[in-house]
Amino acid sequence: MKSQSLNILQLCPQVPYPLSDGGKVGIFNITKHLAKRGHRVTVLALDRTPDVDAKPFERYCELIRVPHSNRNSIPAALMNLLSDEPYNISKYESQPYRQALSDLMAQKSFDVVHVDHLHMARYGLFCKEQHNLPVVLREHNIESVIVERFAENAHPALVRYWAEAQAKRIRVYEGTLAAQCDVCCAITDDDRKRLEGLAPKARIRVIPAGVAGEFFAVETTERRSLIPSSIAMFGSFDWLPNQDALKWFTRSILPKIFALQPSAKLFVIGKGVPAEVLSLQSDRIVVRGFVQDLAKELGQYMVTVVPLRIGGGMRLKIVESFAMRIPVVSTTIGCEGIVCRDGEHLAVSDTEDGFAKQVVRLLNDASGRDRLTENAFRLAQSRYRWEIAAEEFEKVYQEVIHLNRAGKPEEAVA
């Protein structure tokens, strides 16, 4: 059942188009499905790509773009050691964005502020302080977990020292800002528990990410033409956890797969593929790069791999593979937060030998692939849809609006 139409102000760290990474997919689809439920959404976004035509996104919202670059800088990262603010948060500070936000709120009235990512939380709290608007923070990842896991694997020693210092800062920052928002929406139950540890007084809901309808609409395996012995790894490889996973897979796991199955081929799909992997291109390692129609692209591969060692939140690539009936091999961290079981919905291994053997097994075991993919498809269909997520956000908005108008911000949202 749809509730009364709301005026929603959505604060985003990027323009979510084209759909080249999980962050953009997550923002785009929530906006889209809130609009389809009859809500009016105004998006104020930091804009790293001013030349990109975002008309497909603007079908669902009023989009206001504020040019901004958040590229990493080694001098700025080193200077950040003298600051108390985490480096990956400081990159999103923008005075033009603050001014645009002030101007927007002077011109329009809103019922609720939806903040995407911790990086933008300070702007949401500005709306709360200046205009008494309820703020819902959507934590796509628990940022402190990503930094901590990066620090664990960081080399050389200077990088590890810097990363450990950043991890301490972001734990404090994340806990402090989460507690000040009216509600924090985590993507997974694991993330909820982590956030509770950082901010015991925060009001937290779990709203999983979803799968777009086109992934469910792809033809079944029996009707698709599959590339023999094909392995797909897809994602945005300019995101550190994905980059680490790709390098680890090509260096340490793929040679073991080739030894067991010489006919195997790896296809890498997504933007930002590092030079180290580009240099490996051959008839057995094919870099496809960014593709416009991901669902169509993935439909030709036999297995997808998610060898993540760093990360938090939820990997959309896994539930998208589930929806397409493509078997998945993942690490424990890769499938963390998804309600799935090793041997029932996917195959899981955290060792190089074990991961390679699971991939080869699925390449050669048609009945095993079919059993996993049918179970995984049913799971995705029942639990991971954007329509469900939008409805859950709507409920949260209504509750925080009610509490805010009643003047009882201290009450927990049920």
Side-chain angles (χ1 to χ4, degrees):
M1 180 184 296
K2 295 182 181 180
S3 61
Q4 182 180 359
S5 177
L6 299 174
N7 286 324
I8 301 167
L9 173 58
Q10 188 173 0
L11 307 181
C12 303
Q14 60 181 330
V15 174
Y17 202 82
L19 302 181
S20 55
D21 59 58
K24 290 180 180 178
V25 170
I27 295 171
F28 180 98
N29 280 286
I30 282 299
T31 308
K32 171 182 175 179
H33 287 283
L34 287 171
K36 291 182 77 169
R37 292 184 66 81
H39 302 297
R40 295 176 294 277
V41 186
T42 302
V43 174
L44 183 63
L46 290 172
D47 188 6
R48 314 173 202 174
T49 54
D51 296 331
V52 168
D53 183 354
K55 285 187 177 64
F57 180 58
E58 293 178 88
R59 290 174 54 195
Y60 305 107
C61 66
E62 177 187 350
L63 173 63
I64 302 169
R65 304 163 73 152
V66 180
H68 180 75
S69 174
N70 66 335
R71 288 188 176 182
N72 289 320
S73 161
I74 292 176
L78 292 174
M79 286 297 294
N80 180 258
L81 289 171
L82 304 176
S83 168
D84 291 330
E85 186 173 63
Y87 174 63
N88 65 336
I89 297 297
S90 68
K91 295 189 300 177
Y92 292 83
E93 175 57 39
S94 166
Q95 189 54 42
Y97 188 90
R98 285 186 181 275
Q99 186 60 55
L101 181 56
S102 294
D103 294 344
L104 179 60
M105 289 192 297
Q107 297 162 8
K108 298 180 69 172
S109 61
F110 298 98
D111 298 301
V112 65
V113 180
H114 173 116
V115 179
D116 278 298
H117 293 277
L118 176 68
H119 312 81
M120 306 300 287
R122 66 173 119 204
Y123 299 115
L125 294 176
F126 174 78
C127 299
K128 186 179 180 70
E129 293 161 3
Q130 298 297 315
H131 294 267
N132 193 34
L133 286 170
V135 176
V136 175
L137 171 62
R138 186 183 189 210
E139 287 261 53
H140 293 239
N141 303 282
I142 303 302
E143 296 298 328
S144 54
V145 171
I146 294 176
V147 179
E148 287 165 2
R149 287 175 172 170
F150 170 69
E152 290 171 2
N153 293 279
H155 297 285
L158 179 61
V159 175
R160 187 182 309 112
Y161 168 78
W162 181 86
E164 288 171 349
Q166 292 298 318
K168 291 177 183 177
R169 290 179 192 174
I170 199 164
R171 277 197 296 269
V172 174
Y173 185 91
E174 192 158 27
T176 300
L177 269 70
Q180 295 176 48
C181 295
D182 292 87
V183 171
C184 296
C185 293
I187 300 291
T188 71
D189 196 56
D190 287 334
D191 279 0
R192 175 189 62 78
K193 293 173 184 175
R194 294 182 181 117
L195 196 53
E196 284 176 344
L198 297 170
K201 294 184 179 180
R203 296 184 287 277
I204 305 169
R205 282 290 192 85
V206 176
I207 302 180
V211 178
E214 58 264 27
F215 289 91
F216 289 101
V218 172
E219 291 184 331
T220 60
T221 306
E222 293 78 9
R223 297 180 62 186
R224 297 204 299 261
S225 177
L226 301 178
I227 299 172
S229 300
S230 55
I231 305 160
M233 186 168 176
F234 66 100
S236 176
F237 297 105
D238 50 9
W239 188 50
L240 178 65
N242 283 341
Q243 193 170 110
D244 173 79
L246 178 60
K247 289 179 179 179
W248 181 51
F249 185 77
T250 52
R251 285 176 189 162
S252 304
I253 299 174
L254 193 57
K256 297 179 186 296
I257 293 173
F258 288 156
L260 294 169
Q261 184 145 344
S263 61
K265 291 185 178 182
L266 172 66
F267 294 82
V268 182
I269 304 107
K271 66 173 184 174
V273 177
E276 175 183 323
V277 176
L278 290 173
S279 68
L280 299 176
Q281 291 185 83
S282 66
D283 58 344
R284 295 202 295 182
I285 300 177
V286 180
V287 176
R288 298 279 289 123
F290 175 70
V291 296
Q292 288 290 343
D293 190 337
L294 182 59
K296 181 179 179 181
E297 174 71 23
L298 293 178
Q300 58 190 319
Y301 303 121
M302 293 183 68
V303 175
T304 61
V305 293
V306 187
L308 262 72
R309 303 187 295 178
I310 306 169
M314 173 184 160
R315 258 57 59 193
L316 283 175
K317 65 190 75 180
I318 289 184
V319 289
E320 287 168 347
S321 296
F322 285 180
M324 292 188 64
R325 293 184 171 91
I326 305 174
V328 178
V329 181
S330 174
T331 55
T332 302
I333 287 177
C335 62
E336 190 176 71
I338 301 172
V339 184
C340 57
R341 287 182 288 274
D342 179 24
E344 182 176 348
H345 305 100
L346 77 173
V348 179
S349 179
D350 294 317
T351 68
E352 294 162 3
D353 284 336
F355 203 104
K357 288 176 182 176
Q358 291 282 28
V359 171
V360 172
R361 179 180 66 81
L362 286 175
L363 289 175
N364 293 292
D365 181 4
S367 62
R369 289 198 305 270
D370 291 345
R371 179 175 54 81
L372 286 183
T373 56
E374 193 55 40
N375 292 337
F377 175 81
R378 289 198 296 267
L379 175 67
Q381 196 172 46
S382 65
R383 193 178 184 98
Y384 298 109
R385 301 191 72 105
W386 287 116
E387 294 88 345
I388 298 171
E391 184 175 0
E392 291 303 307
F393 271 108
E394 184 180 276
K395 292 175 184 176
V396 171
Y397 299 154
Q398 293 287 1
E399 291 169 347
V400 297
I401 290 167
H402 171 75
L403 290 175
N404 191 60
R405 289 175 179 170
K408 299 177 183 179
E410 74 280 0
E411 292 185 21
V413 176

